[in-house]
Amino acid sequence: MSAPRPRFLDSGEAALVVEFGRIVDPVLNERVLALDAALREAAPVGLCECVPTYRSLMIHYDPLRIDRDALVAAVEAALERGQTEARAASVWTLPCCYDPGFGEDLDEAAARLGLSSQALARAHAQGDYRVYMYGFAPGFAYLGGLPEALAVPRRAAPRPPHPAGAILIGGGLCAVGTFPMPTGWYVVGRTPERFYAPERPEPFPIQPGDGLSFEAVDADAFRSLERRAAGGEVVARRRGT
Amino acid sequence: MTEESTALRVLSAGPGTTLQDGGRHGYLRYGITAAGPMDRLAHATANLSLGCPAQATAIEVSLGGIALTAEGAALTVAVAGGAFAVSLDGQELGPDVALTLEPGAVLGIRAGAGGSWCYLAVAGDLDVAPVLGSTATHIRSGMGGLEGRGLRAGDRIRVLARHLPLAPSRIDAPWLERAPDTIRVLPGPQADAFDPDQIDAFLAADWTISNRSDRMASYLDGPRLRHAAGHDIVSDGIVMGAIQVPGDGRPVVLMADRQPTGGYPKIATVIGPDLGRFAQGRPGTRLRFRAVTREEAVAARRDEAACLRGRPSLEPLVRTRFTSEFLLGLNLVDGICGPDDGL
């Protein structure tokens, strides 16, 4: 079965958008990530960097080193190769504290959803998530897989900055907010894991395409994990590949 | 030659004055904005005029201006971009100059005849710790530069200085004289989110750069644009220069500190060589957009690269403008700088 050819869109003369579709969908995202992996493996001269999103790959390039036609040809060759290779994804268990004081907006979001705070936290921890992409801010990860019962709309106006490691829900999605930022989403918990830790050999352990589930921890466990994370340890557990 | 204790001391700095190198590239996929200079041509010109690498760390000065002094030993600096008013110990030198700053002498830079950004480069290396390989400051995420923030009075930046004594000289960089009146764009990537009459309206309108303009984005005042079918798209990548049209129909040009992804349709994209020209437009500046082909855009990029191929030449300033006391304080003999000096 051959997938439909993506659309090639110009974002100026130095970026090409390879658009696989226009919706949030794991199959589209998988194709984006397969192309990303194939281009990383054999990057054409003049390719600067690629930005995978839910549904498209933005390729930044230097048009004085590779012209657009040659880049499109390289992408098409990579698409051929990408279809035969499975990208190795990890699955992570991410500790999350839903206690009052950590899930700052848990009560508010629960009220909007007509649930108890405990029921929201329980349902959230049972979800099966996928890291679709990063964007918005450093280490801000967009996760799909939020249970439908938790699809609270985003706020009309942003709330003050969330804490680092905030677990957010809004607009039918879940996210991990690594840098404190004002947000229109609801803070339902907090993880001690650092999605961005510049002093670690791998500053970003969790990659787009990885699977993720949450494990509820109490405040004491959170603080002890937070100390270990501050020391440079990756406290999310990786399950198989 | 190199003095451990040589430093630039900031005496005063307006808001939004930051350290910038060529940008933090390679991490957009993790949500990390490249930042880097608003006017890359002016940034590179300042650096190259002193024989520094084009992408070396320099100070990006906002309309608020800056005053600095050298500590420990003399420092040779270059200021380029945006027609800012530069002065040495109160003596006006005009824009786009290079000079040696003796310890204690005060270099003043303030908004001049036009332009929004200028760059102060230093002969030597500014001792600033890189984050993810770059010193570029991104204030929103507190990353890079000095503690991820703008410069302020009292800041001291250690410099591994290079010996390059220089009398005040004009940097010969005619390519920095660019009026931000017509800005070239390539349509898309979401031009199909607009009916053709709206694209025509976008290209025909007179736009004014609004007061809501900073390193992240410039808002444009003018007609409201209508979307063909809604203003929400599933987030995709955003380049510097992307012209996004949110729900209110007012276009926004996303600049160096933009978010790496976003969810509004982008009607067109400012071509790379016109980004600096656009960035230099002050609030209130009127401009139009002109659609060009990809070939024209790449040709303009080639022309831009050609400007930076060599080291811009330096011409000693006309000395009759200075008082004799001022001239006696200068080292005029070493001021002639050939193209290979210090490289």
Side-chain angles (χ1 to χ4, degrees), chain B residues 138-160:
Chain B
H138 186 242
I139 291 179
R140 265 177 75 86
S141 60
M143 197 178 281
L146 288 193
E147 301 159 0
R149 59 169 172 80
L151 298 181
R152 60 189 183 212
D155 283 342
R156 186 177 187 275
I157 307 161
R158 220 165 62 101
V159 182
L160 306 171

Side-chain angles (χ1 to χ4, degrees), chain A residues 13 36 49 55 139 179 207, chain B residues 26 29-30 141 234 272 294 301:
Chain A
E13 78 286 4
D36 178 49
E49 67 181 293
R55 62 195 185 89
F179 270 64
Q207 299 295 315
Chain B
R29 63 171 52 243
Y30 298 115
S141 60
V234 172
R294 205 167 48 234
R301 218 175 168 92

Side-chain angles (χ1 to χ4, degrees), chain A residues 68-83:
Chain A
R68 199 231 197 215
D69 291 345
L71 180 62
V72 168
V75 168
E76 283 177 332
L79 286 169
E80 291 294 315
R81 292 199 306 277
Q83 282 172 11

Side-chain angles (χ1 to χ4, degrees), chain A residues 98-139:
Chain A
Y98 296 97
D99 286 7
F102 290 84
E104 295 176 1
D105 305 332
L106 201 54
D107 293 347
E108 196 184 344
R112 288 202 63 181
L113 290 164
L115 296 170
S116 71
S117 300
Q118 293 77 5
L120 194 168
R122 210 164 36 243
H124 184 268
Q126 281 165 1
D128 204 2
Y129 297 88
R130 170 191 179 86
V131 180
Y132 273 103
M133 60 179 276
Y134 286 93
F136 179 60

Side-chain angles (χ1 to χ4, degrees), chain A residues 7 9-15 17 22-24 36 40 49-56 58 60 63-64 68 133-139 179 181 196 204 207, chain B residues 25-32 131-132 140-141 143 186-190 192 233-239 259-261 269 271-273 294 297-298 301-302 305:
Chain A
R7 296 208 307 164
L9 305 170
D10 291 300
S11 200
E13 78 286 4
V17 181
R22 297 184 171 198
I23 56 170
V24 178
D36 178 49
R40 289 184 127 196
E49 67 181 293
C50 294
V51 190
T53 70
Y54 293 109
R55 62 195 185 89
S56 63
M58 176 175 269
H60 293 261
L64 301 186
R68 199 231 197 215
M133 60 179 276
Y134 286 93
F136 179 60
F179 270 64
M181 286 280 170
Y196 167 55
F204 307 92
Q207 299 295 315
Chain B
H25 299 292
Y27 299 96
L28 290 170
R29 63 171 52 243
Y30 298 115
I32 296 189
V131 177
L132 297 174
R140 265 177 75 86
S141 60
M143 197 178 281
L186 281 185
Q190 277 97 33
D192 60 359
I233 60 167
V234 172
S235 282
D236 71 348
I238 297 179
V239 298
Q259 295 161 5
T261 62
T269 307
I271 69 169
R294 205 167 48 234
V298 173
R301 218 175 168 92
R302 198 167 284 124

Side-chain angles (χ1 to χ4, degrees), chain B residues 68-151:
Chain B
L68 315 108
T69 188
E71 285 186 356
L75 285 171
T76 298
V77 300
V79 182
F84 275 56
V86 184
S87 65
L88 179 60
D89 284 331
Q91 294 280 342
E92 295 294 334
L93 302 179
D96 301 337
V97 292
L99 56 93
T100 294
L101 194 56
E102 297 297 333
V106 176
L107 180 74
I109 305 175
R110 57 193 166 71
S116 286
W117 306 99
C118 89
Y119 297 87
L120 179 130
V122 181
D125 291 318
L126 299 182
D127 185 21
V128 181
V131 177
L132 297 174
S134 165
T135 59
T137 310
H138 186 242
I139 291 179
R140 265 177 75 86
S141 60
M143 197 178 281
L146 288 193
E147 301 159 0
R149 59 169 172 80
L151 298 181

